Coordinates of all heavy atoms in Angstrom, one line a residue:
M22 N 20.1 -5.4 -40.4 CA 19.0 -5.4 -39.4 C 19.4 -4.6 -38.2 O 20.5 -4.8 -37.6 CB 18.7 -6.9 -39.1 CG 17.6 -7.0 -38.0 SD 17.4 -8.7 -37.5 CE 15.8 -8.9 -38.3
P23 N 18.7 -3.6 -37.9 CA 19.0 -2.7 -36.8 C 18.8 -3.5 -35.4 O 17.9 -4.3 -35.3 CB 18.1 -1.5 -36.9 CG 17.0 -2.0 -37.7 CD 17.5 -3.1 -38.6
F24 N 19.7 -3.2 -34.5 CA 19.6 -3.8 -33.2 C 19.1 -2.7 -32.2 O 19.6 -1.6 -32.1 CB 21.0 -4.3 -32.7 CG 21.0 -4.8 -31.3 CD1 20.4 -6.1 -31.1 CD2 21.6 -4.1 -30.3 CE1 20.5 -6.6 -29.8 CE2 21.6 -4.6 -29.0 CZ 21.1 -5.9 -28.8
H25 N 18.0 -3.1 -31.5 CA 17.5 -2.1 -30.5 C 17.7 -2.7 -29.1 O 17.4 -3.9 -28.9 CB 16.0 -1.9 -30.7 CG 15.7 -1.3 -32.0 ND1 15.8 0.1 -32.2 CD2 15.2 -1.8 -33.2 CE1 15.5 0.3 -33.5 NE2 15.1 -0.8 -34.1
Q26 N 18.1 -1.9 -28.2 CA 18.3 -2.3 -26.8 C 17.5 -1.4 -25.9 O 17.7 -0.1 -26.0 CB 19.7 -2.3 -26.4 CG 20.0 -2.8 -25.0 CD 21.5 -2.9 -24.7 OE1 22.3 -2.6 -25.6 NE2 21.8 -3.2 -23.5
W27 N 16.7 -1.9 -25.1 CA 15.9 -1.1 -24.1 C 16.5 -1.4 -22.7 O 16.7 -2.6 -22.4 CB 14.5 -1.4 -24.2 CG 13.8 -0.9 -25.4 CD1 13.4 0.4 -25.6 CD2 13.5 -1.6 -26.6 NE1 12.8 0.5 -26.9 CE2 12.9 -0.7 -27.5 CE3 13.7 -2.9 -27.0 CZ2 12.5 -1.1 -28.7 CZ3 13.3 -3.3 -28.3 CH2 12.7 -2.4 -29.1
T28 N 16.6 -0.4 -21.9 CA 17.0 -0.5 -20.6 C 16.0 0.1 -19.7 O 15.6 1.3 -19.9 CB 18.4 0.2 -20.3 OG1 19.3 -0.4 -21.2 CG2 18.8 0.0 -18.9
V29 N 15.4 -0.7 -18.8 CA 14.4 -0.2 -17.8 C 15.1 -0.2 -16.5 O 15.5 -1.3 -16.0 CB 13.1 -1.0 -17.9 CG1 12.2 -0.6 -16.8 CG2 12.5 -1.0 -19.3
E30 N 15.2 0.9 -15.9 CA 15.8 1.0 -14.5 C 14.7 1.6 -13.6 O 14.3 2.7 -13.8 CB 17.0 1.8 -14.5 CG 18.1 1.2 -15.4 CD 19.3 2.1 -15.5 OE1 19.4 3.2 -14.8 OE2 20.3 1.8 -16.2
T31 N 14.3 0.8 -12.6 CA 13.3 1.2 -11.7 C 13.8 0.8 -10.3 O 14.1 -0.4 -10.1 CB 11.9 0.7 -12.0 OG1 11.6 1.1 -13.3 CG2 10.9 1.2 -11.0
L32 N 13.7 1.7 -9.3 CA 13.9 1.4 -7.9 C 12.6 1.4 -7.2 O 11.8 2.3 -7.3 CB 14.8 2.5 -7.3 CG 15.0 2.4 -5.8 CD1 15.7 1.2 -5.4 CD2 15.6 3.7 -5.3
C33 N 12.3 0.3 -6.5 CA 11.0 0.1 -5.8 C 11.3 0.0 -4.3 O 12.2 -0.7 -3.9 CB 10.2 -1.1 -6.3 SG 9.7 -1.0 -8.0
L34 N 10.5 0.6 -3.5 CA 10.6 0.5 -2.1 C 9.2 0.3 -1.6 O 8.3 1.0 -1.9 CB 11.1 1.8 -1.5 CG 11.1 2.0 0.0 CD1 12.0 0.9 0.7 CD2 11.4 3.4 0.4
R35 N 9.0 -0.8 -0.8 CA 7.7 -1.1 -0.2 C 7.9 -1.1 1.3 O 8.8 -1.8 1.8 CB 7.2 -2.4 -0.7 CG 5.8 -2.7 -0.5 CD 5.3 -3.9 -1.1 NE 4.9 -3.6 -2.5 CZ 4.2 -4.4 -3.2 NH1 3.9 -5.6 -2.9 NH2 3.8 -4.0 -4.4
Q36 N 7.0 -0.4 1.9 CA 7.2 -0.2 3.4 C 5.8 -0.2 4.1 O 4.9 0.3 3.5 CB 7.9 1.2 3.6 CG 8.2 1.5 5.0 CD 9.0 2.8 5.1 OE1 9.5 3.3 4.1 NE2 9.1 3.3 6.2
T37 N 5.8 -0.8 5.2 CA 4.5 -0.8 6.0 C 4.8 -0.1 7.3 O 5.8 -0.4 8.0 CB 4.1 -2.3 6.3 OG1 3.9 -2.9 5.1 CG2 2.8 -2.3 7.1
L38 N 4.0 0.8 7.7 CA 4.2 1.6 8.9 C 3.0 1.6 9.8 O 1.9 1.4 9.4 CB 4.4 3.1 8.5 CG 5.6 3.4 7.5 CD1 5.5 4.8 7.1 CD2 6.9 3.1 8.2
N39 N 3.2 1.8 11.1 CA 2.2 2.1 12.1 C 1.0 1.2 12.1 O -0.2 1.5 11.9 CB 1.6 3.5 11.8 CG 2.7 4.6 12.0 OD1 3.6 4.4 12.6 ND2 2.5 5.7 11.3
I40 N 1.2 -0.1 12.4 CA 0.2 -1.0 12.6 C -0.1 -1.1 14.1 O 0.8 -1.5 14.8 CB 0.5 -2.4 12.0 CG1 0.7 -2.3 10.5 CG2 -0.7 -3.4 12.3 CD1 1.2 -3.6 9.9
I41 N -1.3 -0.7 14.5 CA -1.6 -0.6 15.9 C -2.9 -1.4 16.2 O -3.9 -1.2 15.5 CB -1.8 0.9 16.4 CG1 -0.5 1.7 16.1 CG2 -2.2 1.0 17.8 CD1 -0.6 3.1 16.2
F42 N -2.8 -2.3 17.2 CA -4.0 -3.0 17.6 C -4.4 -2.5 19.0 O -3.6 -2.4 19.9 CB -3.7 -4.5 17.7 CG -3.5 -5.2 16.3 CD1 -2.2 -5.3 15.8 CD2 -4.6 -5.6 15.6 CE1 -2.0 -5.9 14.6 CE2 -4.4 -6.2 14.4 CZ -3.1 -6.4 13.9
R43 N -5.7 -2.3 19.2 CA -6.2 -1.9 20.5 C -7.5 -2.8 20.8 O -8.3 -3.1 19.9 CB -6.7 -0.4 20.4 CG -5.6 0.5 20.2 CD -6.1 2.0 20.3 NE -5.0 2.9 20.0 CZ -5.0 3.7 19.0 NH1 -6.1 3.8 18.2 NH2 -4.0 4.5 18.7
S44 N -7.6 -3.2 22.0 CA -8.7 -3.9 22.5 C -9.4 -3.1 23.6 O -8.8 -2.6 24.5 CB -8.3 -5.3 23.0 OG -7.8 -6.1 22.0
K45 N -10.7 -3.0 23.4 CA -11.6 -2.4 24.5 C -12.8 -3.3 24.7 O -13.6 -3.4 23.8 CB -12.0 -1.0 24.0 CG -12.8 -0.3 25.1 CD -13.1 1.1 24.7 CE -13.8 1.9 25.8 NZ -14.1 3.2 25.5
G46 N -12.8 -4.0 25.8 CA -13.8 -5.1 26.0 C -13.5 -6.2 25.1 O -12.4 -6.8 25.0
K47 N -14.5 -6.6 24.3 CA -14.3 -7.7 23.3 C -14.1 -7.2 21.9 O -14.1 -8.0 21.0 CB -15.5 -8.6 23.4 CG -15.6 -9.3 24.7 CD -16.8 -10.3 24.7 CE -16.9 -11.0 26.0 NZ -18.0 -11.9 26.0
V48 N -14.0 -5.9 21.7 CA -13.9 -5.3 20.4 C -12.4 -5.0 20.1 O -11.7 -4.4 21.0 CB -14.7 -4.0 20.2 CG1 -14.4 -3.4 18.9 CG2 -16.2 -4.3 20.4
T49 N -11.8 -5.5 19.0 CA -10.5 -5.2 18.6 C -10.5 -4.2 17.5 O -11.1 -4.4 16.5 CB -9.7 -6.5 18.2 OG1 -9.8 -7.4 19.3 CG2 -8.3 -6.2 17.9
K50 N -9.7 -3.1 17.6 CA -9.5 -2.1 16.5 C -8.1 -2.1 16.0 O -7.2 -2.2 16.8 CB -9.9 -0.8 17.0 CG -11.4 -0.6 17.3 CD -11.7 0.8 17.8 CE -13.2 0.9 18.1 NZ -13.5 2.3 18.5
A51 N -7.9 -2.0 14.7 CA -6.6 -1.9 14.2 C -6.5 -0.8 13.2 O -7.5 -0.5 12.5 CB -6.2 -3.2 13.4
T52 N -5.4 0.0 13.2 CA -5.2 1.0 12.3 C -3.8 0.8 11.7 O -2.9 0.3 12.3 CB -5.3 2.4 12.9 OG1 -4.3 2.5 14.0 CG2 -6.6 2.7 13.5
G53 N -3.6 1.2 10.4 CA -2.3 1.0 9.8 C -2.2 1.9 8.6 O -3.2 2.4 8.0
T54 N -1.0 2.2 8.2 CA -0.6 2.9 7.0 C 0.5 2.2 6.2 O 1.4 1.7 6.8 CB -0.1 4.3 7.4 OG1 -1.1 5.0 8.2 CG2 0.2 5.2 6.2
G55 N 0.3 2.1 4.9 CA 1.3 1.5 4.1 C 1.7 2.5 3.0 O 0.9 3.3 2.5
T56 N 2.9 2.4 2.5 CA 3.5 3.3 1.5 C 4.3 2.4 0.5 O 5.1 1.6 0.9 CB 4.4 4.3 2.1 OG1 3.7 5.0 3.1 CG2 4.9 5.3 1.1
G57 N 4.0 2.7 -0.8 CA 4.8 2.1 -1.9 C 5.4 3.2 -2.7 O 4.7 4.1 -3.1
I58 N 6.7 3.1 -3.0 CA 7.4 4.2 -3.8 C 8.1 3.5 -4.9 O 8.8 2.5 -4.7 CB 8.3 5.0 -2.9 CG1 7.6 5.6 -1.8 CG2 9.1 6.0 -3.8 CD1 8.5 6.3 -0.8
A59 N 8.1 4.1 -6.1 CA 8.9 3.6 -7.3 C 9.5 4.8 -8.0 O 8.8 5.7 -8.2 CB 8.0 2.7 -8.2
I60 N 10.7 4.7 -8.3 CA 11.4 5.7 -9.1 C 12.2 5.1 -10.2 O 12.9 4.1 -10.1 CB 12.5 6.5 -8.2 CG1 11.7 7.1 -7.0 CG2 13.2 7.5 -8.9 CD1 12.7 7.6 -5.9
G61 N 12.0 5.6 -11.4 CA 12.7 5.0 -12.6 C 12.0 5.4 -13.9 O 11.1 6.3 -14.0
T62 N 12.3 4.6 -14.9 CA 11.8 4.9 -16.3 C 10.3 4.5 -16.5 O 9.6 5.1 -17.2 CB 12.7 4.3 -17.3 OG1 12.8 2.9 -17.1 CG2 14.0 4.9 -17.4
E63 N 9.9 3.4 -15.8 CA 8.5 2.9 -15.9 C 8.1 2.5 -14.5 O 7.9 1.4 -14.2 CB 8.4 1.7 -16.8 CG 8.7 2.1 -18.3 CD 8.5 0.9 -19.2 OE1 7.9 -0.1 -18.8 OE2 9.1 0.9 -20.3
P64 N 7.8 3.5 -13.6 CA 7.5 3.2 -12.2 C 6.1 2.7 -12.0 O 5.2 3.2 -12.6 CB 7.7 4.6 -11.6 CG 7.4 5.6 -12.6 CD 7.9 4.9 -13.9
V65 N 6.0 1.7 -11.2 CA 4.7 1.2 -10.7 C 4.8 1.0 -9.2 O 5.7 0.2 -8.8 CB 4.3 -0.1 -11.4 CG1 3.0 -0.7 -10.9 CG2 4.2 0.1 -12.9
A66 N 4.0 1.6 -8.5 CA 4.0 1.5 -7.0 C 2.7 0.9 -6.5 O 1.6 1.2 -7.1 CB 4.2 2.8 -6.3
G67 N 2.7 0.1 -5.5 CA 1.5 -0.5 -5.0 C 1.7 -1.0 -3.5 O 2.8 -1.2 -3.1
V68 N 0.5 -1.0 -2.8 CA 0.5 -1.5 -1.5 C -0.6 -2.6 -1.4 O -1.7 -2.4 -1.9 CB 0.2 -0.4 -0.5 CG1 0.1 -0.9 0.9 CG2 1.2 0.7 -0.6
D69 N -0.2 -3.7 -0.8 CA -1.2 -4.8 -0.6 C -1.8 -4.7 0.7 O -1.1 -4.5 1.7 CB -0.5 -6.2 -0.8 CG 0.1 -6.3 -2.2 OD1 -0.5 -5.8 -3.2 OD2 1.1 -7.0 -2.3
V70 N -3.1 -5.0 0.8 CA -3.8 -4.9 2.1 C -4.6 -6.2 2.3 O -5.3 -6.7 1.4 CB -4.8 -3.7 2.1 CG1 -5.6 -3.7 3.4 CG2 -4.1 -2.4 1.9
Y71 N -4.4 -6.9 3.4 CA -5.1 -8.1 3.8 C -5.9 -7.9 5.1 O -5.3 -7.5 6.0 CB -4.1 -9.3 3.9 CG -3.3 -9.6 2.7 CD1 -2.1 -9.1 2.5 CD2 -3.9 -10.3 1.7 CE1 -1.3 -9.3 1.4 CE2 -3.2 -10.6 0.5 CZ -1.9 -10.1 0.4 OH -1.2 -10.3 -0.7
Y72 N -7.1 -8.1 5.1 CA -7.9 -7.8 6.3 C -8.9 -9.0 6.6 O -10.0 -8.8 7.1 CB -8.7 -6.5 6.1 CG -9.5 -6.4 4.8 CD1 -10.8 -6.9 4.7 CD2 -8.9 -5.8 3.7 CE1 -11.5 -6.8 3.5 CE2 -9.6 -5.7 2.5 CZ -10.9 -6.2 2.5 OH -11.6 -6.1 1.3
A73 N -8.4 -10.2 6.4 CA -9.3 -11.4 6.7 C -9.5 -11.5 8.2 O -8.6 -11.2 9.0 CB -8.6 -12.6 6.2
G74 N -10.8 -11.7 8.6 CA -11.1 -11.9 10.0 C -11.7 -10.7 10.6 O -12.2 -10.7 11.7
F75 N -11.6 -9.5 10.0 CA -12.2 -8.3 10.5 C -13.6 -8.1 10.0 O -13.9 -8.4 8.8 CB -11.3 -7.1 10.2 CG -10.0 -7.0 11.0 CD1 -8.9 -7.6 10.6 CD2 -10.1 -6.4 12.3 CE1 -7.7 -7.5 11.3 CE2 -8.9 -6.3 13.0 CZ -7.7 -6.9 12.6
D76 N -14.5 -7.5 10.8 CA -15.9 -7.4 10.4 C -16.1 -6.1 9.7 O -16.9 -6.1 8.7 CB -16.7 -7.4 11.7 CG -16.7 -8.8 12.4 OD1 -16.7 -9.8 11.6 OD2 -16.6 -8.8 13.6
K77 N -15.5 -5.0 10.1 CA -15.7 -3.7 9.4 C -14.3 -3.2 9.0 O -13.4 -3.1 9.8 CB -16.4 -2.7 10.3 CG -17.8 -3.1 10.6 CD -18.4 -2.0 11.5 CE -19.9 -2.3 11.8 NZ -20.5 -1.2 12.6
V78 N -14.2 -2.7 7.8 CA -12.9 -2.2 7.3 C -13.1 -0.9 6.4 O -14.0 -0.9 5.6 CB -12.1 -3.3 6.4 CG1 -10.8 -2.7 5.9 CG2 -11.9 -4.5 7.2
K79 N -12.3 0.1 6.7 CA -12.3 1.3 5.9 C -10.9 1.5 5.3 O -10.0 1.5 6.1 CB -12.7 2.6 6.7 CG -14.2 2.6 7.1 CD -14.5 3.9 7.9 CE -15.9 3.9 8.3 NZ -16.3 5.1 9.0
I80 N -10.9 1.7 4.0 CA -9.6 1.9 3.3 C -9.6 3.2 2.6 O -10.5 3.5 1.8 CB -9.3 0.7 2.4 CG1 -9.3 -0.6 3.2 CG2 -8.0 0.9 1.7 CD1 -9.1 -1.8 2.3
K81 N -8.5 4.0 2.7 CA -8.3 5.2 1.9 C -7.0 5.0 1.1 O -6.0 4.7 1.7 CB -8.1 6.4 2.8 CG -9.3 7.1 3.3 CD -8.9 8.4 4.0 CE -10.0 9.3 4.3 NZ -9.6 10.5 5.1
I82 N -7.1 5.3 -0.2 CA -6.0 5.2 -1.1 C -5.6 6.5 -1.7 O -6.5 7.2 -2.2 CB -6.2 4.1 -2.2 CG1 -6.5 2.8 -1.5 CG2 -5.1 4.0 -3.1 CD1 -7.0 1.7 -2.5
N83 N -4.4 6.9 -1.6 CA -3.9 8.1 -2.3 C -2.7 7.7 -3.2 O -1.8 7.1 -2.7 CB -3.4 9.1 -1.2 CG -3.0 10.4 -1.8 OD1 -3.2 10.7 -3.0 ND2 -2.3 11.2 -1.0
S84 N -2.8 8.0 -4.5 CA -1.6 7.7 -5.3 C -1.4 8.8 -6.3 O -2.3 9.6 -6.7 CB -2.0 6.4 -6.1 OG -3.1 6.6 -6.9
R85 N -0.1 8.9 -6.7 CA 0.4 9.9 -7.6 C 1.4 9.3 -8.5 O 2.1 8.4 -8.1 CB 1.1 11.1 -6.9 CG 0.3 11.8 -5.9 CD -0.4 13.0 -6.4 NE -1.0 13.7 -5.3 CZ -2.2 14.1 -5.3 NH1 -3.0 14.0 -6.3 NH2 -2.7 14.8 -4.2
T86 N 1.4 9.8 -9.8 CA 2.4 9.3 -10.8 C 2.9 10.5 -11.5 O 2.2 11.5 -11.7 CB 1.8 8.3 -11.7 OG1 0.7 8.9 -12.4 CG2 1.3 7.0 -11.0
G87 N 4.1 10.3 -12.0 CA 4.8 11.3 -12.8 C 5.6 10.6 -13.9 O 5.5 9.4 -14.1
A88 N 6.4 11.4 -14.6 CA 7.2 10.8 -15.7 C 8.2 9.8 -15.2 O 8.5 8.8 -15.8 CB 7.9 11.9 -16.4
N89 N 8.7 10.0 -14.0 CA 9.8 9.1 -13.5 C 9.5 8.7 -12.0 O 10.5 8.2 -11.3 CB 11.2 9.7 -13.6 CG 11.3 11.0 -12.9 OD1 10.3 11.5 -12.3 ND2 12.5 11.5 -12.9
Y90 N 8.3 8.8 -11.5 CA 8.1 8.4 -10.1 C 6.6 8.0 -10.0 O 5.7 8.3 -10.8 CB 8.3 9.5 -9.1 CG 7.3 10.6 -9.1 CD1 6.2 10.5 -8.2 CD2 7.3 11.7 -10.0 CE1 5.2 11.5 -8.2 CE2 6.4 12.6 -10.0 CZ 5.3 12.6 -9.1 OH 4.3 13.5 -9.1
A91 N 6.4 7.2 -9.0 CA 5.0 6.8 -8.6 C 5.0 6.5 -7.1 O 6.0 5.9 -6.6 CB 4.5 5.6 -9.4
F92 N 3.9 6.8 -6.4 CA 3.8 6.4 -5.0 C 2.3 6.2 -4.7 O 1.4 6.7 -5.3 CB 4.4 7.4 -4.1 CG 3.7 8.6 -3.8 CD1 2.7 8.7 -2.8 CD2 3.9 9.8 -4.5 CE1 2.0 9.8 -2.6 CE2 3.2 10.9 -4.3 CZ 2.2 11.0 -3.3
E93 N 2.1 5.3 -3.7 CA 0.8 5.0 -3.2 C 0.8 4.9 -1.7 O 1.7 4.3 -1.1 CB 0.3 3.7 -3.8 CG -1.1 3.4 -3.4 CD -1.6 2.1 -4.1 OE1 -1.3 1.0 -3.6 OE2 -2.2 2.3 -5.2
T94 N -0.1 5.6 -1.0 CA -0.3 5.4 0.4 C -1.7 4.9 0.7 O -2.6 5.2 0.0 CB -0.1 6.8 1.2 OG1 -1.0 7.7 0.7 CG2 1.3 7.3 1.0
V95 N -1.7 4.0 1.7 CA -3.0 3.4 2.0 C -3.2 3.5 3.5 O -2.3 3.2 4.3 CB -3.0 1.9 1.6 CG1 -4.3 1.2 2.1 CG2 -2.8 1.7 0.2
S96 N -4.3 4.0 4.0 CA -4.7 4.1 5.4 C -5.8 3.1 5.6 O -6.8 3.1 4.9 CB -5.1 5.5 5.8 OG -4.1 6.4 5.5
V97 N -5.7 2.3 6.7 CA -6.7 1.3 7.0 C -7.2 1.4 8.4 O -6.3 1.6 9.3 CB -6.1 -0.1 6.7 CG1 -7.1 -1.2 7.1 CG2 -5.6 -0.3 5.3
K98 N -8.5 1.3 8.6 CA -9.1 1.2 9.9 C -9.9 0.0 9.9 O -10.8 -0.2 9.0 CB -9.9 2.5 10.2 CG -9.1 3.7 10.4 CD -10.0 4.9 10.8 CE -9.2 6.1 11.0 NZ -10.0 7.3 11.4
A99 N -9.7 -0.9 10.8 CA -10.5 -2.2 10.9 C -11.0 -2.4 12.3 O -10.4 -2.0 13.3 CB -9.6 -3.3 10.4
M100 N -12.2 -3.1 12.3 CA -12.8 -3.4 13.6 C -13.2 -4.9 13.6 O -13.9 -5.3 12.6 CB -14.0 -2.5 13.9 CG -14.6 -2.7 15.2 SD -16.1 -1.6 15.4 CE -15.4 0.0 15.2
D101 N -12.9 -5.6 14.7 CA -13.3 -7.0 14.8 C -14.3 -7.0 16.0 O -13.9 -6.8 17.1 CB -12.1 -7.9 15.1 CG -12.5 -9.4 15.0 OD1 -13.5 -9.7 14.4 OD2 -11.8 -10.2 15.6
L102 N -15.6 -7.4 15.7 CA -16.6 -7.4 16.7 C -16.8 -8.8 17.3 O -16.5 -9.8 16.6 CB -18.0 -7.0 16.1 CG -18.0 -5.6 15.5 CD1 -19.2 -5.3 14.7 CD2 -17.7 -4.5 16.5
P103 N -17.2 -8.9 18.5 CA -17.4 -10.3 19.1 C -18.6 -11.0 18.5 O -19.6 -10.3 18.0 CB -17.7 -10.0 20.6 CG -18.2 -8.6 20.6 CD -17.5 -7.9 19.5
H104 N -18.5 -12.3 18.3 CA -19.6 -13.1 17.7 C -20.3 -13.9 18.7 O -19.8 -14.5 19.6 CB -19.1 -13.9 16.6 CG -18.5 -13.1 15.5 ND1 -19.3 -12.5 14.5 CD2 -17.3 -12.8 15.1 CE1 -18.6 -11.9 13.7 NE2 -17.3 -12.0 14.0

């Protein structure tokens, strides 16, 4: 009976950058950028975004994959209005 051995080697880096909150009057604005990078034989990269409590949210996602890499960048703009 033949013996098969698979080795999957992947390096993942998850990083969150540039979260900025600004208040002008009673309106709070937040901007942020997140980056996920994976390098290896079966790379999967992802960025999680949580925006509970904000009234308006715009999200831009940019992702690329190749034979041995994957990355995803997410840009978020959020606004919390007074109630």
